[in-house]
Amino acid sequence: MLLSLSSLSVLAMICSALGALMYLGLARSQDSERGITTLAVGGVLHQSGWFVWALALFGSADLLAWLAILLLLLGQLGLLAGTRRSFARPAVLGWWAALIPLCLLAVVASLVQAISAAQAGLLQALLLAPLAFQIGREAFQPGNDEEWSLPRYLLVVTVFALAGILLCASLCNVFGAIPHDQLVQVWAVLACAISVVLPYSYQLMIAHRLHTRLTKLVRYDALTGLLNRRGMEEHAERELHRARKHNSSLGLMLLDIDQFRVVNQRYGYGSGDAALKKCAKKIREIAGDEALIGRIAGEEFCIIFCDKNSHELRSLAVEIEMALEALTIEHGDFSFHLSVTLSLVKYGRHGNQFEALLQRAEEKLQLRKGHLRGEAIPEGAITVAP
């Protein structure tokens, strides 16, 4: 080894102290994030365990070493609960909590010398490794409420590596492949690496989650979950580029809820919000996942359909209009129906840029609203047909 065992012990103590500060800093800066407090408590206990374990190397104190294992175990239980809570699952430990009395039994067996030093090392690994695997499994589950990212990969790889190295090194020591001194050195190196990498992984994961959330707030409407004006523009430009490249069709539908201000004034803003959310849900059901749907103004929705011909667009327009007008909006003591007006434009025929298509759709929408109010439509004007 390039470093002596005493040097590795000091380095492990320094790394564990730095890791504890990272967990405390995470809790202080992101205290409103779910699971952070539990993660911080578990993380500090975990780092304390590595600190005590490194301290025990100076005196070869078995009791102090087992105290370190107990702290590591408590810390991993806290990290497991915090990880579950962080991914929006109940922070339930279940039978994993039974590892605590098992650890106490192992301490007693070691102190009365019922097991050898190699067997004690294997027991310590068997107590810590399965729990580390479970933490990685919780972060690995595909049902988590966020997409895979580099920080999440780093977290999973770190805890899996911790479990794998603990088990492999301890088994090799039991079967005589490596002496006990080298096993202790492996644990010391592992303590240095895990004490820094694990809290850093959690910090990166939380930071990435917050960045993703902020990015979504910039591009999505908080009330309906649909794209907002900015998000719609960005996605529309990509679809228009694809349509130009592949010479494919693209249609834009603009939909406006009639007299929406009256709805707010008569039934309250809560009723108006309920109407917007229900309309957004119905539009999403009919338009499908392939369509781009956005709320670009207060009561105005924009829908972009790709690879749809004129007949399909007209059919979708009629279906959406009839479905929205058939909706019953219920909020509090009020129940009411809505009327909507929509217009259709097609890429190429009415414009080649999003702003041009949107402006043309707005003009057709106003023409149709005027027609519904009984105003004369200019000769040759077309409102619904793309």
Side-chain angles (χ1 to χ4, degrees):
M1 295 289 290
L2 296 176
L3 296 176
S4 64
L5 184 57
S6 58
S7 300
L8 284 173
S9 301
V10 172
L11 185 59
M13 294 170 68
I14 294 173
C15 290
S16 60
L18 288 175
L21 290 175
M22 292 170 70
Y23 281 117
L24 291 174
L26 182 63
R28 185 175 181 180
S29 60
Q30 310 293 346
D31 58 342
S32 61
E33 189 70 15
R34 65 191 180 212
I36 289 298
T37 303
T38 309
L39 275 176
V41 172
V44 170
L45 284 172
H46 197 247
Q47 301 301 100
S48 301
W50 285 121
F51 187 93
V52 173
W53 182 87
L55 189 63
L57 295 180
F58 289 100
S60 300
D62 291 341
L63 183 60
L64 198 58
W66 277 106
L67 175 61
I69 297 301
L70 182 60
L71 286 173
L72 286 170
L73 194 61
L74 290 171
Q76 286 189 347
L77 288 171
L79 290 175
L80 175 61
T83 302
R84 288 180 60 86
R85 185 69 190 93
S86 177
F87 288 110
R89 287 193 294 276
V92 178
L93 295 176
W95 66 271
W96 291 105
L99 291 173
I100 300 297
L102 290 178
C103 181
L104 296 176
L105 289 175
V107 172
V108 174
S110 177
L111 292 179
V112 300
Q113 297 182 346
I115 54 177
S116 65
Q119 291 171 335
L122 181 60
L123 275 176
Q124 292 169 357
L126 289 175
L127 286 169
L128 298 176
L131 197 51
F133 270 121
Q134 182 62 20
I135 294 172
R137 183 174 172 270
E138 292 293 338
F140 186 80
Q141 284 189 11
N144 292 332
D145 62 337
E146 63 180 51
E147 297 179 357
W148 276 98
S149 60
L150 181 60
R152 190 171 158 197
Y153 276 114
L154 182 61
L155 174 62
V156 172
V157 170
T158 300
V159 290
F160 280 172
L162 169 64
I165 294 173
L166 284 175
L167 279 178
C168 291
S170 299
L171 286 172
C172 289
N173 178 241
V174 168
F175 291 108
I178 60 173
H180 184 71
D181 290 344
Q182 288 188 5
L183 175 65
V184 174
Q185 288 179 332
V186 170
W187 276 58
V189 173
L190 190 63
C192 296
I194 293 298
S195 295
V196 175
V197 177
L198 189 58
Y200 184 64
S201 301
Y202 277 113
Q203 279 194 336
L204 282 180
M205 188 185 72
I206 300 301
H208 179 269
R209 176 182 295 167
L210 293 176
H211 178 266
T212 303
R213 190 178 300 162
L214 290 174
T215 302
K216 188 173 181 180
L217 286 174
V218 170
R219 293 172 174 82
Y220 287 83
D221 174 49
L223 178 64
T224 62
L226 302 178
L227 291 166
N228 59 18
R229 177 64 178 260
R230 177 176 175 176
M232 198 69 189
E233 289 176 355
E234 293 179 358
H235 284 75
E237 288 301 328
R238 286 197 288 268
E239 290 301 326
L240 286 167
H241 176 74
R242 190 181 70 86
R244 283 190 290 268
K245 183 178 179 180
H246 299 286
N247 195 27
S248 56
S249 61
L250 183 145
L252 184 147
M253 180 187 301
L254 196 61
L255 186 148
D256 184 80
I257 301 177
D258 299 328
Q259 302 296 316
F260 191 70
R261 184 178 298 178
V262 176
V263 172
N264 283 329
Q265 293 173 347
R266 182 175 298 173
Y267 305 110
Y269 289 98
S271 298
D273 290 346
L276 289 171
K277 288 191 284 188
K278 203 162 186 178
C279 287
K281 182 180 179 181
K282 181 59 67 174
I283 293 171
R284 191 184 288 113
E285 288 176 3
I286 298 173
D289 296 332
E290 295 182 357
L292 290 177
I293 311 170
R295 179 188 171 208
I296 60 173
E299 66 274 12
E300 204 166 73
F301 297 88
C302 179
I303 314 164
I304 292 180
F305 297 97
C306 301
D307 302 319
K308 301 287 186 184
N309 58 40
S310 298
H311 176 71
E312 291 172 323
L313 288 173
R314 283 193 294 269
S315 298
L316 284 167
V318 172
E319 184 178 359
I320 290 174
E321 185 175 15
M322 292 179 64
L324 294 183
E325 294 188 345
L327 282 178
T328 300
I329 311 299
E330 296 179 352
H331 184 79
D333 297 330
F334 301 112
S335 177
F336 56 93
H337 292 270
L338 301 170
S339 65
V340 298
T341 307
L342 54 83
S343 62
L344 283 171
V345 293
K346 288 201 70 176
Y347 164 71
R349 184 186 302 177
H350 300 102
N352 297 323
Q353 301 295 328
F354 176 70
E355 288 297 333
L357 289 170
L358 193 63
Q359 183 178 355
R360 187 73 182 99
E362 184 67 38
E363 293 172 358
K364 295 177 68 174
L365 188 72
Q366 296 305 320
L367 285 173
R368 190 167 188 226
K369 280 180 173 288
H371 172 64
L372 294 174
R373 290 194 299 264
E375 299 175 4
I377 296 181
E379 186 178 352
I382 302 174
T383 58
V384 176

